[in-house]
Amino acid sequence: MQYIYTFEEGNKDMRRLLGGKGANLAQMTNLDLPVPSGFTISTEACNAFYKNHNQLNNETLAQIKKALDQLSQNVGKSFNSLSQPLLVSVRSGAAISMPGMMDTILNIGLNDQTVVALAKITANERFAYDSYRRLLAMYGNVVEGISEATFDTVIEDMKHQNHYQSDLDLTTNDLKQIVSEFKKVYINKLHREFPQNPTEQLLAAINSVFESWNNHRAKVYRRENNIPSDLGTAVNVQMMVFGNAGKDSGTGVAFTRDPATGEKHLFGEYLLNAQGEDVVAGIRTPQPISTLEDAMPHLYAQFEAIAAKLEFYYRDMQDLEFTIENGKLYMLQARDGKRTPTAAVKIAVDMVYEDLISKQEALMRIKPESVQAILYPEFDEKDLANHDFVASGLPASPGAATGQIYFTAETAKAAHDEKQQTVILVRQDTSPEDIEGMVVSEGIVTSRGGMTSHAAVVARGMGTPAIVGVNELQVDYQKRSATISGHQLHEGDWLSVNGTQGHIYIGQIKTADTVVNENLSTLLGWAKQESHLGVYANADTPADFSQALRFGADGIGLTRTEHMFFKPERLLEMRRLIIAENAEARQLPLKRLLKMQQGDFYELYKLSAGRSVTIRLLDPPLHEFLPHDEKEIRKVAKQLDVTPTYLKQRVDSLKELNPMLGHRGDRLAVTFPDIYQMQVDAIIGAALQLLDENVIIEPHIMIPLTALKSEMSWVKDLVVNRIEQLLANKNVCLEYTVGTMMEMPRACLTADKIAEVSDFFSFGTNDLTQLTFGYSRDDVGSFMPEYIKQGILPADPFQTVDVDGVGQLMRMAVEKGRSIKPQLPIGVCGEIGGDPKSIEFFEQIDVSYVSCSPFRVPLARLAAAQASLRNNRVVSQTVSVKSVN
């Protein structure tokens, strides 16, 4: 089996085999771009490595030797040569980019002899020993597990003793002494010397990079980004080029567009006389890429042309790594760049207008979950006016966040998980080891680093507000405190950050509602054109509906009328209604509630401007509205002008052993028909009120909890008879529909019968899941995390539809219902209606629409379009196969 491919043998379409980095290095080589020679050890070799008990097998070893010999021949350099020593880098490269999660080692091939040779060849002794100390530190950390801090302490002590401000102040003699101290670290920590054999260095480095595929931070990153764990990583072995060779050398990272905003211009940073790790680690403050045009205009023009060529070739924004060695440019990496959700949408929309991609491609490039992050919170302007920012840094990732500060990933995670606190992670800088703390943080602040530092790149990818390079910030990890512009802060103190502007505020600041920007609005417009599924909102108030309409909702798929009863004055009347012992006693509270409900429905209908509004009649058990403890019973009794004893007796008489399976939904209509009649009066009354204003409304009334055709028929007759009576009294005609929530397994099994008497179906996935699994949706938290961790369930079925169980009941209900009424409208109004994975399934079973919370409408809209595009692709492929056959 071929485990190794030279860069000349690969191409961009071999990502699964060569990893993203290897495939793109190969493609850049084949595009005749200046790429240092090298070869890629494939992901298949990685999987073979793990099968061979974390050891390279003989076939891989033989191919490495052959590839190394070929590389030596191509570049005219070889390991251990004292005239032309070969030095290489060893870098990971997974098929799906995992920036910073796995390991890299530079300058392999240096030892006590070749460092002298390198100094002589380059006439730059300082550069040679600077490269050697880097190898010793990186190899010691990655291969031998010696902490970075051990090596950093040696350097910091040297700088402190000599009053140096920067690593660049270190002299050649300083670096020689550091090399000597680093070698002593090996003796003290490992009781053996640093290996002088370059081949031994190389093989150990390859081993370590393969092993880093399963390090803790890589596992966490894969889990957070849904990356399969069986892909493995490739390893790229590449001839070194040196950005630390002098003042006409350097290294940098650049994006072909701004990864924070999506603006079309080169965005990035570089450092002169440095190696690549210096930029991403934030050790030194880099220069903006634009200043390279002044420093090296010819080289900048070359880089600009290469960047444009690569973006045009890949048809996407590119993340580029480059090195300049003695005035010559080398390209070390090209990959699709990480970007904020806001930037992702702008880039996708712009590229459609630039004729680089189609509208369909643009839609498929945006993760639905990231759309919510585009609706970044902003600080409330009034509250913000009461605060002055105390410091500023680089605006690495936009959005506003307020939280309690923690200084380590461990304490941040504990505060989030155990104390349910909103967390702001504050660090000198971040490293891949901090990933768990970064994931749980609402905002990230670092004192070091630039716009392409680890903290900046990871925060943008997660859509987390972040500010980096805050010079006024000093963090004392020992004392668990920080100083910002003279202000002392301790663990748990409140901090507010504006990642859009880079400002930091002490204390809490309120955030304001968000809006859909022009690019997102354009994208969602394209999504609506491509989607078969309608996207409606679950909205109970005019404020909810207004927000949903701003986000592009097609209407309301679910108004939960019980939510309208929880305002204080309404709750009192609802309680008066419930404790009434007969229909006569219910008349006064029903009359008062009717007026309130009609006003509610009028406002919703008026906002709808002709859009569909579906109103569900009262669903929950009545006990939810009643007081339970003695203190509240005494208070409510006084309000209702009854004795506490009487109220307690009524409360006790209404108690049920399992109220979620008891007297609720349409069962209330059978026993208390006047409650449903009041709600129907309010719905039709609001519609007729608008009809008088020349606004035509078609009410959609939904009956909850139906299990039987006879049950649905009885309640529908109650509703329809009331409506016809109201219309006859007004001598008007009004179109309306009466449908049911499909939330009982029996209803799904007999959907063909229920369809005979129902105008539409709408799946209530919460109750359907609850009753199918026998889980209480309010109590699953006690065991669901363990079920998912152990792989018993792939996901929480209340968050993502259980395709094999609940999904099959839904599929059956759709097929049976449509067998009776082929055009039967069928929706999903549970919160699963806003879950992208579930939406893909709903597209497959031909649901008509989904309904979700207002803030999930944009997400659902995009997910619906993607599901439609994927389904059409499958259909078209099937048709093509049939036509060929």
Side-chain angles (χ1 to χ4, degrees):
M1 177 180 286
Q2 183 176 354
Y3 285 129
I4 294 179
Y5 297 78
T6 65
F7 292 164
E8 289 77 12
E9 293 178 292
N11 61 63
K12 67 179 177 62
D13 298 321
M14 297 171 69
R15 294 178 63 89
R16 183 69 186 248
L17 184 65
L18 304 181
K21 188 186 294 286
N24 289 333
L25 284 169
Q27 192 64 61
M28 285 195 294
T29 299
N30 293 323
L31 289 172
D32 293 325
L33 299 181
V35 177
S37 296
F39 56 87
T40 300
I41 308 171
S42 72
T43 56
E44 290 179 345
C46 180
N47 292 325
F49 170 86
Y50 281 107
K51 288 179 182 178
N52 196 39
H53 311 292
N54 290 25
Q55 294 292 324
L56 297 169
N57 62 30
N58 291 334
E59 193 171 354
T60 305
L61 288 169
Q63 291 185 32
I64 289 172
K65 183 180 184 306
K66 182 179 178 182
L68 192 61
D69 289 343
Q70 184 64 50
L71 176 62
S72 295
Q73 185 176 334
N74 290 346
V75 300
K77 300 179 180 180
S78 60
F79 274 172
N80 254 340
S81 170
L82 298 183
S83 58
Q84 290 293 334
L86 174 65
L87 306 182
V88 298
S89 63
V90 173
R91 298 173 184 265
S92 62
I96 300 172
S97 178
M98 297 170 54
M101 295 301 110
M102 292 175 292
D103 292 326
T104 292
I105 304 177
L106 307 178
N107 307 324
I108 287 172
L110 278 176
N111 55 31
D112 292 348
Q113 287 74 46
T114 54
V115 70
V116 175
L118 184 64
K120 184 177 179 181
I121 295 165
T122 60
N124 191 337
E125 193 175 25
R126 187 193 183 282
F127 149 69
Y129 280 92
D130 183 52
S131 300
Y132 196 15
R133 64 95 176 174
R134 292 171 186 270
L135 169 62
L136 287 162
M138 296 179 80
Y139 187 95
N141 177 240
V142 172
V143 176
E144 304 293 359
I146 303 170
S147 72
E148 288 183 63
T150 302
F151 298 105
D152 289 344
T153 299
V154 174
I155 295 175
E156 292 303 315
D157 287 347
M158 177 70 72
K159 288 161 64 177
H160 180 72
Q161 290 168 15
N162 293 282
H163 307 291
Y164 295 154
Q165 298 298 313
S166 163
D167 291 2
L168 292 178
D169 296 329
L170 295 168
T171 66
T172 301
N173 287 334
D174 293 334
L175 290 167
K176 286 181 177 180
Q177 187 176 338
I178 288 171
V179 165
S180 178
E181 292 297 321
F182 280 7
K183 288 163 70 176
K184 288 178 184 177
V185 168
Y186 281 78
I187 299 295
N188 294 334
K189 295 284 187 181
L190 308 174
H191 308 294
R192 61 177 185 272
E193 294 184 347
F194 170 74
Q196 295 290 303
N197 186 319
T199 302
E200 181 183 344
Q201 296 173 16
L202 175 64
L203 295 178
I206 293 168
N207 264 45
S208 294
V209 173
F210 276 154
E211 286 178 341
S212 71
W213 172 254
N214 276 333
N215 67 31
H216 179 66
R217 63 178 185 264
K219 287 181 178 179
V220 171
Y221 188 91
R222 288 200 295 273
R223 184 177 71 235
E224 293 298 324
N225 291 277
N226 298 313
I227 298 173
S229 59
D230 61 352
L231 292 178
T233 182
V235 174
N236 299 287
V237 179
Q238 189 174 21
M239 183 184 76
M240 283 295 304
V241 288
F242 297 98
N244 60 330
K247 293 182 179 180
D248 61 349
S249 301
T251 187
V253 176
F255 298 82
T256 55
R257 303 190 187 215
D258 190 319
T261 67
E263 294 295 331
K264 188 178 181 180
H265 61 81
L266 272 181
F267 175 95
E269 299 164 326
Y270 72 101
L271 281 170
L272 291 178
N273 203 12
Q275 285 198 333
E277 294 302 305
D278 296 347
V279 177
V280 296
I283 294 170
R284 289 165 50 194
T285 302
Q287 297 295 311
I289 190 71
S290 57
T291 64
L292 185 63
E293 186 172 14
D294 297 326
M296 300 178 179
H298 176 73
L299 192 142
Y300 179 83
Q302 182 189 3
F303 179 75
E304 192 175 37
I306 289 172
K309 181 176 183 178
L310 286 170
E311 181 177 276
F312 182 81
Y313 184 82
Y314 283 106
R315 299 186 308 122
D316 202 357
M317 184 262 275
Q318 294 298 292
D319 173 359
L320 307 173
E321 290 184 17
F322 64 93
T323 286
I324 304 164
E325 181 183 80
N326 298 322
K328 184 175 181 180
L329 176 67
Y330 293 93
M331 300 302 299
L332 302 183
Q333 178 170 280
R335 63 184 175 193
D336 293 345
K338 298 287 183 184
R339 63 207 77 177
T340 64
T342 299
V345 170
K346 177 171 175 54
I347 290 168
V349 170
D350 285 352
M351 286 190 167
V352 171
Y353 292 137
E354 293 165 20
D355 292 326
L356 283 174
I357 61 175
S358 66
K359 292 178 181 178
Q360 291 78 9
E361 286 178 286
L363 289 168
M364 296 304 291
R365 283 187 177 184
I366 308 300
K367 290 182 179 180
E369 296 86 351
S370 73
V371 169
Q372 281 187 295
I374 294 173
L375 307 173
Y376 286 119
E378 297 177 351
F379 288 134
D380 178 83
E381 289 189 10
K382 289 183 179 179
D383 197 13
L384 185 62
N386 299 321
H387 296 78
D388 293 321
F389 63 87
V390 295
S392 293
L394 299 174
S397 185
T402 294
Q404 292 172 269
I405 61 173
Y406 288 89
F407 304 107
T408 68
E410 294 77 16
T411 55
K413 189 173 188 301
H416 175 273
D417 292 352
E418 298 168 18
K419 301 178 184 178
Q420 284 75 55
Q421 290 183 350
T422 303
V423 172
I424 301 289
L425 182 65
V426 177
R427 303 274 296 158
Q428 292 287 97
D429 51 45
T430 65
S431 74
E433 300 295 340
D434 296 319
I435 184 67
E436 286 190 300
M438 299 175 79
V439 165
V440 301
S441 297
E442 296 297 316
I444 297 167
V445 179
T446 67
S447 62
R448 299 174 182 163
M451 296 291 278
T452 54
S453 65
H454 177 266
V457 171
V458 173
R460 281 196 295 268
M462 296 190 301
T464 302
I467 303 172
V468 301
V470 182
N471 295 326
E472 299 92 339
L473 169 66
Q474 293 86 38
V475 178
D476 188 328
Y477 295 115
Q478 296 296 322
K479 295 181 179 179
R480 294 189 175 187
S481 66
T483 303
I484 302 180
S485 301
H487 297 271
Q488 191 76 21
L489 296 174
H490 298 90
E491 198 171 79
D493 286 349
W494 287 88
L495 199 70
S496 297
V497 298
N498 184 330
T500 306
Q501 297 175 327
H503 296 330
I504 298 174
Y505 305 81
I506 292 175
Q508 295 175 262
I509 303 177
K510 295 177 184 177
T511 54
D513 289 340
T514 53
V515 296
V516 176
N517 65 36
E518 183 179 349
N519 291 309
L520 179 56
S521 181
T522 298
L523 190 82
L524 294 176
W526 296 341
K528 189 169 185 176
Q529 294 170 9
E530 294 292 339
S531 176
H532 296 143
L533 284 168
V535 178
Y536 292 77
N538 299 340
D540 310 320
T541 67
D544 288 343
F545 194 18
S546 295
Q547 184 67 73
L549 291 174
R550 285 195 292 271
F551 289 157
D554 294 325
I556 295 179
L558 173 65
T559 291
R560 294 155 290 204
T561 53
E562 62 272 9
H563 287 190
M564 298 172 169
F565 295 131
F566 283 101
K567 292 180 180 178
E569 71 280 7
R570 300 181 180 204
L571 183 57
L572 182 64
E573 295 304 325
M574 192 65 184
R575 286 168 167 172
R576 197 186 307 278
L577 172 70
I578 293 169
I579 68 167
E581 295 186 2
N582 54 52
E584 184 178 354
R586 289 196 295 271
Q587 285 184 5
L588 179 59
L590 282 172
K591 182 179 180 180
R592 291 171 176 169
L593 289 170
L594 168 61
K595 184 177 180 181
M596 297 172 187
Q597 287 248 284
Q598 182 167 326
D600 292 334
F601 299 143
Y602 173 83
E603 293 298 329
L604 291 176
Y605 283 145
K606 192 171 183 180
L607 276 173
S608 73
R611 297 178 183 85
S612 175
V613 174
T614 299
I615 297 173
R616 182 180 72 185
L617 302 182
L618 191 64
D619 178 47
L622 296 179
H623 84 282
E624 289 191 7
F625 298 97
L626 295 176
H628 297 290
D629 63 66
E630 294 291 339
K631 183 178 179 181
E632 192 178 4
I633 285 175
R634 287 196 299 272
K635 177 183 175 183
V636 173
K638 185 177 181 180
Q639 293 173 330
L640 295 175
D641 195 23
V642 298
T643 67
T645 301
Y646 172 78
L647 181 57
K648 188 175 187 305
Q649 288 174 345
R650 289 296 293 150
V651 169
D652 290 342
S653 70
L654 291 167
K655 280 184 178 176
E656 299 178 79
L657 290 176
N658 196 334
M660 293 307 292
L661 299 179
H663 194 187
R664 54 175 290 221
D666 55 5
R667 299 159 199 170
L668 287 171
V670 175
T671 53
F672 301 110
D674 46 359
I675 295 178
Y676 269 25
Q677 287 172 332
M678 177 275 289
Q679 291 195 294
V680 171
D681 287 353
I683 292 169
I684 300 303
L688 293 177
Q689 189 178 347
L690 282 162
L691 188 62
D692 289 340
E693 299 172 17
N694 296 317
V695 178
I696 298 175
I697 298 297
E698 181 179 329
H700 303 292
I701 299 173
M702 185 154 64
I703 298 169
L705 219 68
T706 300
L708 308 163
K709 174 187 174 182
S710 56
E711 188 178 40
M712 175 62 191
S713 183
W714 194 96
V715 180
K716 184 180 180 183
D717 285 346
L718 173 76
V719 170
V720 169
N721 290 339
R722 190 70 169 192
I723 293 173
E724 292 301 324
Q725 180 184 338
L726 293 169
L727 297 181
N729 290 342
K730 285 280 190 179
N731 194 28
V732 296
C733 292
L734 196 69
E735 296 292 327
Y736 63 89
T737 61
V738 181
T740 184
M741 285 191 84
M742 300 295 286
E743 49 192 337
M744 306 290 284
R746 191 185 191 282
C748 295
L749 294 169
T750 60
D752 50 344
K753 304 295 184 184
I754 293 174
E756 294 173 6
V757 292
S758 184
D759 298 326
F760 63 87
F761 289 168
S762 183
F763 288 105
T765 53
N766 284 342
D767 271 335
L768 183 58
T769 301
Q770 183 169 239
L771 294 166
T772 301
F773 274 96
Y775 294 158
S776 166
R777 69 187 185 208
D778 298 318
D779 301 317
V780 293
S782 61
F783 62 87
M784 188 58 66
E786 195 63 23
Y787 264 53
I788 295 171
K789 180 180 178 182
Q790 298 298 337
I792 297 171
L793 284 172
D796 182 343
F798 291 102
Q799 302 297 320
T800 298
V801 67
D802 162 48
V803 171
D804 294 336
V806 175
Q808 293 315 303
L809 286 171
M810 296 176 74
R811 186 190 296 272
M812 182 185 301
V814 171
E815 292 173 353
K816 283 177 172 286
R818 295 258 173 81
S819 71
I820 301 301
K821 294 180 178 176
Q823 302 304 315
L824 182 70
I826 300 176
V828 176
C829 60
E831 198 54 31
I832 280 178
D835 172 64
K837 290 182 181 177
S838 302
I839 286 172
E840 186 155 357
F841 175 72
F842 301 150
E843 164 76 20
Q844 292 169 10
I845 64 173
D846 202 21
V847 162
S848 310
Y849 67 89
V850 295
S851 188
C852 56
S853 67
F855 276 88
R856 300 192 87 184
V857 166
L859 176 156
R861 177 74 73 196
L862 180 57
Q866 291 181 351
S868 179
L869 287 168
R870 273 191 286 265
N871 193 44
N872 287 343
R873 189 179 303 163
V874 170
V875 170
S876 64
Q877 287 173 349
T878 303
V879 171
S880 297
V881 170
K882 286 180 179 178
S883 64
V884 169
N885 293 337

